[in-house]
Amino acid sequence: MDVRSLFAAQQYAALRPATEPEPGAEGAGPRLASAVRDFAATLDEAESMATSAMTGDADPHALVQALAQSELAVETVVTLRNKVVEAYQELLRMPV
C-alpha cells in the first residue's frame, strides 16, 4: 500500500466529522414548515374575513386589512418561488 494513499485516507477520516451537522442544529426544514403554516393561516384568515364581510358581520376596514396582508403574503411567496426557479436554472446552465 502506498504511504500517500494511507495518509490521505487518515486525513479524510479525521475531517469527516467536520462535514456532519452539529447535534441539535436545526436545518431549513422546520423553519420552512413554519413559514408555510403562517402563509396558510394568513390566507385562511383573509378568506374567513371576506366571508364575514359578505354576510355583513365584519368591519370593512378589517376586511381591507386582511386582504392587504394576504396580498403581501402571496407576493412574497411568488418572489421566493421565482428566486428558487432562477437558482435552479442557473445550476442547469453550469458546465459539468
Side-chain angles (χ1 to χ4, degrees):
M1 177 177 245
D2 189 11
V3 174
R4 289 177 287 182
S5 62
L6 180 62
F7 181 69
Q10 289 173 344
Q11 289 295 321
Y12 177 75
L15 293 177
R16 181 139 177 90
T19 61
E20 295 175 359
E22 296 180 14
E26 291 185 11
R31 289 182 287 177
L32 184 60
S34 173
V36 169
R37 281 192 298 273
D38 291 344
F39 174 70
T42 300
L43 292 183
D44 287 341
E45 181 183 340
E47 184 177 353
S48 66
M49 187 64 67
T51 304
S52 297
M54 283 189 255
T55 60
D57 296 335
D59 181 31
H61 178 68
L63 173 65
V64 170
Q65 186 176 6
L67 291 177
Q69 286 177 348
S70 65
E71 182 182 6
L72 180 63
V74 169
E75 287 176 1
T76 302
V77 169
V78 167
T79 301
L80 182 62
R81 183 211 53 186
N82 291 344
K83 290 290 184 181
V84 168
V85 169
E86 182 181 325
Y88 178 72
Q89 288 174 344
E90 191 66 29
L91 285 173
L92 289 178
R93 284 188 215 115
M94 294 176 101
V96 178

